[in-house]
Amino acid sequence: MSAHGTQSPRTPVTDTPTRRRTSVRTLPVPPDSRAPWRAGSWTAIIAILVILHLFAFEATDFRPDALVTGARGMANFLAEAIPPDFSPKVITAGISGALTTLWIGLLGTTISIPFALLLAVLGARTTSPNTVVYQIARAILSFFRAVPDIVFALIFVTAVGLGPFAGVLALICHNTGVMGKLWSEAMEDVDPGPEQALRTAGANRFQIVANATVPSVLPQLTGLLLYRFDVNVRSSLVLGLVGAGGIGLLINKSIKTFQFDTMLTYLIIVLVLIIVVDLASAWIRKKLA
């Protein structure tokens, strides 16, 4: 206020913030030194695969045009197979053979359980006593797994003669290797907490395996067992083609005698058997879940 009592006008104060321009410096992206190597490696891999496939086509006489030229033969085959032979004699023989195939798969799976479990315990790093035992168990599992079940069937057919017993022995050997390998991997992935607790309490190795390891992986072991049962039932069908009994033997006989309508009936029975086995396995898995 001035001396004469009048209020002097005020100059408005305006805050004008100073804007600072920040310049962002863009740095060039360094070139990826591995990019040419990756491109070259993928090119080499594709070229190698193409060359391998060319050798495979030549070695296997892979000729899709043969399907076209052989279409008439396939049509004649289907004409002789349709309609299938549903006579009581063929149906009875087919059901009997299918049940034999089922029993071969069942025994080949269940009898191999103790052998597979023993080798799985010895072949798992978490339960094996030492490195030597581990390597021996792994070698035995690899051998049983590497030899196909049909080769085992041919060996046992020579040893014990034609029939389902040879098929059961073949599945026991091969399934021991496959199931033992799967079970050992499941044991290696088990939670080590219960094992460490029992080990701290003074339990021996057998007690740890029986009371901690196996109960912890029992659902996985059961699921793998049911899966192998499905596979073994299908494998027992193939084993019958080399004389190991079951409905596979009947299919082989009907093909050799050119009774294609009978063969088709047996195939339908096999389809029903596989569906029943799949449904039963799914039901058991659901109950165990």
Side-chain angles (χ1 to χ4, degrees), residues 122-190:
L122 299 178
R125 295 184 183 275
T126 54
T127 56
S128 184
N130 53 62
T131 305
V132 176
V133 175
Y134 169 80
Q135 295 295 340
I136 294 175
R138 283 284 177 167
I140 296 174
L141 290 175
S142 298
F143 171 74
F144 283 143
R145 193 173 67 255
V147 179
D149 47 12
I150 194 169
V151 175
F152 278 123
L154 291 172
I155 295 173
F156 286 118
V157 163
T158 305
V160 302
L162 298 174
F165 182 47
V168 173
L169 294 177
L171 285 183
I172 290 174
C173 293
H174 185 71
N175 193 65
T176 296
V178 177
M179 200 160 60
K181 175 68 161 51
L182 296 174
W183 281 2
S184 65
E185 291 178 351
M187 292 179 183
E188 289 179 349
D189 295 335
V190 71

Side-chain angles (χ1 to χ4, degrees), residues 57-79:
F57 288 148
E58 182 67 24
T60 58
D61 196 18
F62 187 84
R63 294 183 296 109
D65 60 302
L67 291 175
V68 179
T69 57
R72 180 176 298 180
M74 296 177 64
N76 294 334
F77 172 79
L78 293 176

Side-chain angles (χ1 to χ4, degrees), residues 188-265:
E188 289 179 349
D189 295 335
V190 71
D191 182 13
E195 296 179 355
Q196 294 177 357
L198 288 179
R199 190 177 294 107
T200 304
N204 56 34
R205 187 177 300 275
F206 175 78
Q207 293 173 333
I208 294 174
V209 172
N211 297 285
T213 306
V214 174
S216 299
V217 296
L218 189 58
Q220 293 91 324
L221 301 187
T222 306
L224 293 171
L225 178 64
L226 292 174
Y227 165 73
R228 287 302 305 170
F229 173 63
D230 292 344
V231 175
N232 288 335
V233 171
R234 294 173 174 84
S235 298
S236 60
L237 169 66
V238 180
L239 298 183
L241 300 177
V242 296
I247 197 171
L249 182 61
L250 298 177
I251 294 175
N252 191 24
K253 288 182 179 180
S254 61
I255 293 175
K256 289 182 177 180
T257 56
F258 301 100
Q259 297 176 349
F260 300 123
D261 54 347
T262 303
M263 179 209 65
L264 182 58
T265 303

